[in-house]
Amino acid sequence: MGTGSVRVDGNALHLGEGVQIRFIRTLRLPESGTHALPPGLGEFPLRRVEDYPDTVPPEWLAKGGVMLPVYLREAMWLSFGRSGEPAALQVGVGKVCAVSGERWTGRLGRDPQNYVVLPRQPWLDGINSGDGTVRQFVAVPLGLGATVEGQVTGEETTGGVQLQAFPLGEQALAEWRRAQREARRPAPRPGGGPAAPGGFGGYGGPPAMPMAMAPAAMPAPGSAPARGAAPAAPAMGLGVGGSMRQEVYRDDRPLSAWAREPAARVFVHLVTPPAWRRITGEEAPPSPVDRAAYTQAGLPWYDYYDETGADLAPCEPLTGVKPVGEWLGDDHAPWAEPDPSQVKPLGNAPRPGKPVQDGNW
């Protein structure tokens, strides 16, 4: 990781000059069926590993990066802020590519595509399962075989999340900047089209949650526990949960358009709440919102569609990944299917109109 190439600004992770990533807490989906996009329920707090040299495990210091607290079986999604310039972002889960299912190589590949393109890809909620769907990221401990890493590679040695960003090459970037200058025109008048996704994590902002549901605010970083040998922390990785409607878009540029070397990369360690407390001296956020209560309160789910994008096909290594319930048992948390009126369209998703009744002519 190049010096100064990755930085933390609040809970936002910046890779290079144009890529901003936030890790968003969300509702865990049932492991059967295909569902609408779940809401954002607050950001995971991020802390730099290097700020806790006396309390993080030595192997974490060797890898560097950042860490965030996550509960067993908690779901998350990655929100990509508006990039000033295009970027190719690799997302690894235990050093298995979340897009192609292949082992992490640190190089961009097209057959199959092993990255997402920003800003075209506004978010990523899980591993690519093709046919306009992804399977939700869900946190599980290493050692059970439930992670994507364990199921694809047969071993669990890495865990966490790996991110690496590539800018456009010099010629492609110059052409893109020239096209941007030529395309500048007055902003569209209000009401001229759907707003671009943005706000809180890209789904247009989370709904206002009842106070009983809202996660408590994280305190500022507290003082670290007393000095001493750092004990081992439980290793966490990502498995998969339910399926949702979400495209992973095919890159429409040639692979040669991208720089050969990354602008930045970072390792994201996933920490259990007890380990987070011991390492940082802070309390982790409260456990996730009750998903049945959320839906029964009439709060929104989402549907995003971009008719100009082409979805990637499913990749063979990821098709056989089983949900975490195969290892952890049935998901007994209550589930309430949202009413169609609760599913809000984003992007240029078709908006259903009111039916018109025919009569006798």
Side-chain angles (χ1 to χ4, degrees):
M1 183 170 64
T3 303
S5 60
V6 178
R7 69 184 191 278
V8 175
D9 183 6
N11 294 329
L13 188 60
H14 296 262
L15 275 66
E17 297 303 318
V19 176
Q20 181 193 88
I21 303 168
R22 295 177 187 268
F23 297 84
I24 308 297
R25 308 182 77 200
T26 190
L27 300 177
R28 189 175 71 251
L29 298 175
E31 294 178 356
S32 60
T34 300
H35 305 274
L37 300 178
L41 298 178
E43 300 168 353
F44 286 93
L46 283 181
R47 300 289 180 265
R48 302 190 311 166
V49 168
E50 64 203 77
D51 290 336
Y52 302 91
D54 300 310
T55 51
V56 298
E59 60 269 23
W60 291 18
L61 287 173
K63 292 178 179 177
V66 297
M67 56 187 175
L68 62 85
V70 64
Y71 287 84
L72 172 66
R73 228 170 182 170
E74 185 171 10
M76 71 165 61
W77 51 276
L78 279 58
S79 168
F80 307 132
R82 291 186 178 87
S83 173
E85 295 176 344
L89 178 69
Q90 292 184 311
V91 179
V93 288
K95 296 187 75 172
V96 171
C97 178
V99 177
S100 70
E102 297 188 335
R103 289 182 184 245
W104 185 268
T105 63
R107 297 287 183 181
L108 296 182
R110 183 58 65 81
D111 187 23
Q113 182 176 314
N114 64 357
Y115 57 94
V116 295
V117 181
L118 309 185
R120 161 54 68 82
Q121 191 79 36
W123 43 67
L124 186 67
D125 287 61
I127 65 170
N128 172 35
S129 47
D131 300 321
T133 67
V134 301
R135 298 174 66 196
Q136 191 174 42
F137 292 134
V138 176
V140 287
L142 271 62
L144 300 178
T147 62
V148 176
E149 174 187 5
Q151 295 187 61
V152 171
T153 71
E155 56 186 10
E156 293 179 317
T157 59
T158 304
V161 177
Q162 298 76 42
L163 301 167
Q164 184 163 257
F166 290 76
L168 285 172
E170 290 185 10
Q171 180 177 346
L173 180 58
E175 293 174 355
W176 180 86
R177 288 173 173 170
R178 182 167 54 252
Q180 291 297 107
R181 289 193 297 269
E182 295 173 354
R184 284 176 184 163
R185 54 176 62 97
R189 55 192 290 185
F200 195 93
Y203 286 175
M209 290 180 288
M211 289 303 295
M213 291 185 176
M218 281 295 297
S223 58
R227 291 177 179 270
M236 299 284 284
L238 291 179
V240 302
S243 177
M244 72 187 76
R245 293 182 289 275
Q246 181 178 115
E247 288 84 8
V248 179
Y249 294 115
R250 182 180 298 117
D251 188 7
D252 56 9
R253 292 182 175 89
L255 190 62
S256 59
W258 300 104
R260 293 183 60 85
E261 298 297 326
R265 67 173 195 153
V266 66
F267 194 107
V268 183
H269 304 264
L270 305 181
V271 187
T272 65
W276 178 265
R277 185 185 312 113
R278 179 183 56 76
I279 291 169
T280 68
E282 306 171 27
E283 291 295 329
S287 59
V289 169
D290 182 287
R291 61 192 191 185
Y294 177 94
T295 301
Q296 290 165 356
L299 297 171
W301 293 70
Y302 299 93
D303 185 22
Y304 180 78
Y305 177 71
D306 183 353
E307 63 185 7
T308 66
D311 182 48
L312 289 176
C315 294
E316 193 276 332
L318 297 178
T319 57
V321 175
K322 294 179 171 56
V324 299
E326 295 283 332
W327 285 263
L328 301 179
D330 291 338
D331 185 354
H332 296 295
W335 167 253
E337 189 72 31
D339 184 89
S341 64
Q342 290 177 254
V343 180
K344 310 300 182 184
L346 299 173
N348 54 16
R351 288 157 170 77
K354 295 181 178 179
V356 177
Q357 185 175 349
D358 194 9
N360 295 324
W361 285 40

